[in-house]
Amino acid sequence: MLALVDANNMYVSCERVFAPRLVGLPVVVLSSNDGACIARSNEAKELGIEMAQPWFQVKHLVRSAGLIAVSANFELYSDMSARMMAVAGRFAPRQQVYSIDECFLDFDGVRGDLVAIGQKLRAAVLREVGLPTSVGFGSTKTLAKLANHVGKTADRKPGSYPAKLAQVCNFGTLSPSELDAVFGATEVGSIWGVGRRIGAKLREQGVNTVLDFVRADAMTLRKQFSVMLEKTLLELRGTSCLEMSDIEDAPTAKQQILVSRSFGKAITDPAGIIEAVSEFASRAAEKLRHQDSTANAVGVFFSTSPFRPNDRQHSVNVTVPLIRPTADTRVLVATAVRAARQEFRSDFNYAKAGVILVNLQPASQHQGELDLVAGGDEDLAPPMKDRTALMDAMDVLNRRFGRDSVRVGSSTLASHDTDVRSWATRQERRSPRFTTRWDEMPVVTA
């Protein structure tokens, strides 16, 4: 039996842990530059606020309905996620973290009442981390995911499903007729892997509920849609097609790594662009090492905003090949900075920039190669001595003490000693990073 553990309204719940006054109030979390609603409390959903709805369309609800908006605090959410996963992982022999707010647990061989175990898991996460969760049990991943949806919906909307399924839902305890009733009360778009487009096509063919879907012909679905939808159908019928195996479920290495961002305010000086490009290249290098790859080229781009017609328009997009593939932050940043210096033009209001690492290869592919490049520019072709330990130490320090604890000097060129980057996104409503920054940790005074 598998379980899916999911934090309820993850981002909003993280904010409520440190601001209990938000409990019971309509709350939304805004995206970069406070542009759109990327998370909503149940109370905000009841106001009709849609996922990804632009903030300017709903900001009138601040006065009329008491809506509260906060800027996204991803550093806090990521740390809270790690804490949640550590607690949940104690309850089963195997765990697979699926996303920032979800993980699968394999209860194969675990004895006892799974619903009771699920309730203990929820209580432990709430007590030790502060996050409310829902737990769904099923014989396959897709069934566990659907059971989680049912458990969450039954808790949020009493009467939509039997009360015994709220919070912790175990499909394994339901009789065939009870399971059919649950499937018949669940809209087909609630199935994992059935998006809005596929859901609309299924409804056109009279497949409106999960029960309709389960009773559909597998070969017909495969011909009309894809083999993945056929696997989804088999999973809902109890045939496992998605294993818990680390090897089978491990994400494949990316073929390119992109880090980009729109600026909170326009940048008109080269120091600001260099600072942003340095930061983005550092982020990309960290991701590159995480998947144990090296890059053969570095792309840099920055541009003005096409939504500001009164501004002079200019865009840069250049790719610089490396003399040898590397994952060394210093080399990647130096390459990106050189390109930015050469391509920068004054008198433009730059609104966005990014760095992309391309032509990626496994790091092991270059181990033991002879150094055929000697006496060149050491910024672009440093000696072949192994800097892996240095990069690993840098990554470890940043994970332990918080992002940017160790960083290249050019990423602070324009901001000097402040923590406000010249390119930073607008986050006027961001809460403190309570769990990862010493200077933002809450202090209790007697």
Side-chain angles (χ1 to χ4, degrees), residues 13-81:
S13 294
C14 287
E15 297 289 345
R16 285 174 166 173
V17 170
F18 298 95
R21 63 182 177 80
L22 299 178
V23 175
L25 300 178
V27 180
V28 294
V29 175
L30 303 178
S31 62
S32 297
N33 289 316
D34 295 345
C37 303
I38 59 172
R40 304 154 295 157
S41 67
N42 291 339
E43 297 80 7
K45 294 175 184 177
E46 291 172 359
L47 292 177
I49 299 175
E50 300 292 335
M51 186 65 173
Q53 188 169 2
W55 168 237
F56 74 87
Q57 293 182 358
V58 300
K59 62 188 306 181
H60 66 279
L61 295 173
V62 172
R63 289 188 177 182
S64 62
L67 178 65
I68 298 173
V70 296
S71 300
N73 190 344
F74 293 116
E75 189 169 325
L76 173 66
Y77 308 153
S78 179
D79 185 69
M80 294 290 283
S81 171

Side-chain angles (χ1 to χ4, degrees), residues 292-294 296 325 359-369:
D292 198 24
S293 298
T294 58
N296 279 276
N359 194 8
L360 308 187
Q361 299 175 359
S364 59
Q365 184 171 326
H366 308 287
Q367 292 178 355
E369 290 184 353

Side-chain angles (χ1 to χ4, degrees), residues 224-387:
Q224 293 183 349
F225 295 94
S226 68
V227 66
M228 287 305 300
L229 199 63
E230 181 189 22
K231 288 184 177 180
T232 298
L233 174 62
L234 295 176
E235 287 253 320
L236 288 173
R237 290 176 176 175
T239 300
S240 180
C241 300
L242 303 173
E243 303 295 332
M244 281 286 291
S245 169
D246 292 336
I247 296 177
E248 291 184 15
D249 292 330
T252 56
K254 296 180 180 178
Q255 299 302 306
Q256 61 183 28
I257 295 176
L258 169 67
V259 178
S260 66
R261 189 170 297 174
S262 296
F263 305 141
K265 60 181 180 179
I267 290 180
T268 58
D269 61 286
I273 288 293
I274 291 171
E275 180 187 75
V277 166
S278 298
E279 179 69 16
F280 301 159
S282 297
R283 294 273 185 272
E286 185 177 350
K287 294 181 179 182
L288 185 68
R289 292 191 294 272
H290 182 71
Q291 70 173 41
D292 198 24
S293 298
T294 58
N296 279 276
V298 179
V300 175
F301 61 89
F302 48 94
S303 64
T304 54
S305 173
F307 302 104
R308 297 174 182 171
N310 294 328
D311 287 359
R312 297 173 59 203
Q313 299 297 307
H314 182 242
S315 63
V316 170
N317 192 335
V318 59
T319 300
V320 182
L322 298 171
I323 294 178
R324 68 168 65 88
T326 185
D328 189 328
T329 295
R330 190 181 69 88
V331 177
L332 297 172
V333 169
T335 303
V337 167
R338 283 177 178 239
R341 288 185 187 277
Q342 293 173 358
E343 299 296 332
F344 179 85
R345 300 292 181 270
S346 58
D347 300 326
F348 289 100
N349 296 323
Y350 291 110
K352 183 177 182 178
V355 170
I356 182 170
L357 306 181
V358 296
N359 194 8
L360 308 187
Q361 299 175 359
S364 59
Q365 184 171 326
H366 308 287
Q367 292 178 355
E369 290 184 353
L370 293 176
D371 186 6
L372 302 179
V373 182
D377 188 334
E378 286 204 354
D379 278 341
L380 299 181
M384 281 291 284
K385 67 179 182 179
D386 191 358
R387 286 195 175 88

Side-chain angles (χ1 to χ4, degrees), residues 1-3 87-96 104-111 114 117 121 137 244 246:
M1 185 66 71
L2 302 177
V87 175
R90 301 200 307 254
F91 287 81
R94 301 173 66 199
Q95 178 186 39
Q96 182 194 42
F104 286 100
L105 298 176
D106 186 355
F107 283 87
D108 186 31
V110 176
R111 297 181 179 180
L114 292 181
I117 294 175
L121 189 158
F137 289 94
M244 281 286 291
D246 292 336

